[in-house]
Amino acid sequence: MSLLSVTDLSVSINGMALLDDVAFTLAPGEIFGLVGESGSGKSLTALALMGLLPQGALTTGHAELEGVDLLNQSERAMCALRGNRIGMIFQEPMTALNPLMTIGDQVAETLMVHRAMPRGEALAVAREKLDRVGLPEPRFPLNIYPHELSGGQRQRVAIALAIALKPALLIADEPTTALDVTTQAQILELLRDLVEDEGMGLMLITHDLAVVAGLATHTAVMQSGRIVEQGLTEPLFRARAHPYTAALFAASAHQPKRVDIGTTEPLLVVDHALRAYTLARPSAFAPRPLLHAVDDVSFTLHEGESLGLVGSSGCGKSTLTRAILGLDHLQGGEIRLFGKPVGRQMPNDMRAGVQVVFQDPYGSFNPRWRVDRLVAEPFHLLPTAPADWRERVAEALVEVGLHPDDRRKYIHEFSGGQRQRIAIARALITRPDLIVLDEAVSALDVRIRAQVLDLLASLRVSHGLAYLFISHDLSVVRAITDRVLVMEAGRIVEEGPTEALFTAPRHEVTRRLVAATPQIPPDWMEKIA
């Protein structure tokens, strides 16, 4: 018996076909993986099932959930189904969560709306769900807001919200993109347990082939709005009968060319950096707890070097990044860039020499600007903007795999992975000495990720760029960096040359990160040259 049956699903907007004859089935207790590149139609398929397509979209075909055709329901009927019989975990948690509501109220809201549950009882269930996704008390009380959490922690709140009512169908759109590998392993195990315990069906949308290999029963590969291949996961991954599937696997195994920089001068020096925050009171009369987000951190990044910084979500990586960029002050220690102290009042010439690619691409852009203005924004740091700035913007977009005509579009017209590519283009536009990449390729599909990593490697040689590569994806860090720092609870617990650290990790935190990294079984990859 099928829980969800999709047949002949097609979607067009203004006469442009975006989905074409999409068909698949999902049984209760089954995990169905949907993979493909950014813009292939994966998220659009989910939005069609949820009745959340943009105005003007024309949908044909059938999508039956427990005998109910989701494509022929009124908005009122869909409101009763969303969150109740269908739960969805969106790709970007910061835009999916309400910034004006506490995390407890957001998880409790769906219980109060669909079950008419009293607020106190709903908050108790919310506490249970947040505990289950790895946000326990007292560190994560119900009265904190999304902006007080890291990207990975916000994603966990979104997951708790989606599973609060134990829906029959759970759609997870890149549910682990923002999570470190240990938390990702926990969340994937949680999703697997929910499928087994509750008998729900899980539709897992992701570009991470290793995640699908370890979790999905069936898998479909989507390209340009069509499913080009589908079947049981292991036989499909072993055979890779369609050329597009084979290309995805080849890209997932891609290693950029290694760069030997030799001995160079210090570019960035972090000396005993300290940053602490006071948290919300757990109760009215309790003292405010203190969180040491960065605790006595010291390291040096040399000219032309690629340095990796890894650690669990909330370990302090992003806080340290903000301090390096002069966006947050230190309470102790010092940071020097180009031999000068870093602070909030950094001169423009210093800021022009260091650019950043943030973790959340949508949140780092002004949605009212077109792409050409967004990418050209760092030019204001130069004494005068170059006369050929439009041509340089077009060139930067091509470098990251986009089309020059994309410069006339707005950021909401792009997928999550495409937005991240635009963020990388903006960072490259002034050809700085140092680029800080905070989860810079986490939202990219495997083929574009391979292209971007090759691009970063070539730019490092041609322009002498240095990188501070902050990521939870250890396979990417291993491929692109010379040295790695491992961070836990605000401290650097291990550091060393990349290959040596991954081959023989000494600290328990490093060993845990390496062990939790999802991998496609080696014998499934035998055909890849």
Side-chain angles (χ1 to χ4, degrees), residues 55-72:
Q55 188 174 5
L58 177 63
T59 306
T60 60
H62 300 279
E64 293 189 356
L65 175 68
E66 299 177 318
V68 176
D69 193 344
L70 301 174
L71 305 184
N72 293 316

Side-chain angles (χ1 to χ4, degrees), residues 133-148:
V133 298
L135 298 176
E137 283 192 308
R139 186 174 181 185
F140 302 99
L142 296 177
N143 61 350
I144 62 176
Y145 290 86
H147 73 269
E148 300 178 78

